[in-house]
Amino acid sequence: SFDLFLADDRVLPLLPKLLGKQFFRSKKIPSSVDMRRDLKVQLEAAVSSTYIHLGTGNVFAVKVGRVNFRAKQLTDNILSAVDRTVELCPGGIANVQSIHLKSATSVALPLYNSLPKGSLSRKGGSEEGEDDQEE
């Protein structure tokens, strides 16, 4: 099993048909590399990057570090990944309900939680800021 698949950007559009659905279901989607440029730079950038694949669902996972990273490296990566992921979400932070941090063996630790719009209104009561009127 491999952690990263790279493909020349010129052949990347051909790969889904050649590799099949099962390959892409495993979320091992090949990353683009421009082999016409400095290959060493391209490979180093690909290996040191993280990837997010936005699907049709509402939950996304982004790898932010490895066990050998120092606390400062992990903190920087987490903050950077959260900022960039929120930028990629349609509607930005307004459409993000929660952000959690999880390792392969840990429970999900909440970093951010937001209630859905309208979840604070009282059943049968008035909305915040409205006056109750009796008829």
Side-chain angles (χ1 to χ4, degrees):
S1 174
F2 296 95
D3 290 331
L4 181 65
F5 290 93
L6 303 174
D8 189 292
D9 59 355
R10 296 169 288 185
V11 299
L12 196 61
L14 305 172
L15 292 181
K17 188 174 182 178
L18 294 172
L19 296 174
K21 292 179 187 176
Q22 192 60 34
F23 184 85
F24 286 89
R25 275 193 202 123
S26 68
K27 298 197 179 176
K28 298 286 188 178
I29 299 170
S31 299
S32 177
V33 175
D34 186 350
M35 297 187 88
R36 294 165 288 198
R37 293 186 171 170
D38 185 351
L39 191 56
K40 181 180 179 196
V41 171
Q42 293 282 309
L43 294 176
E44 286 173 352
V47 169
S48 66
S49 296
T50 191
Y51 300 91
I52 182 169
H53 303 287
L54 300 175
T56 56
N58 58 1
V59 176
F60 307 107
V62 180
K63 294 179 183 178
V64 295
R66 300 178 192 267
V67 293
N68 64 339
F69 282 15
R70 298 191 183 279
K72 173 83 169 116
Q73 286 175 295
L74 281 173
T75 303
D76 291 346
N77 282 4
I78 291 166
L79 294 173
S80 180
V82 167
D83 287 345
R84 185 67 179 127
T85 302
V86 168
E87 284 176 15
L88 293 172
C89 288
I93 193 70
N95 284 338
V96 176
Q97 189 169 346
S98 65
I99 299 172
H100 292 80
L101 181 64
K102 184 180 180 336
S103 75
T105 58
S106 74
V107 297
L109 303 172
L111 299 178
Y112 171 83
N113 278 307
S114 172
L115 296 173
K117 290 180 180 163
S119 63
L120 291 179
S121 63
R122 293 181 298 195
K123 199 172 193 178
S126 63
E127 294 290 327
E128 186 177 292
E130 293 180 7
D131 293 329
D132 288 342
Q133 298 178 359
E134 289 184 331
E135 294 184 33

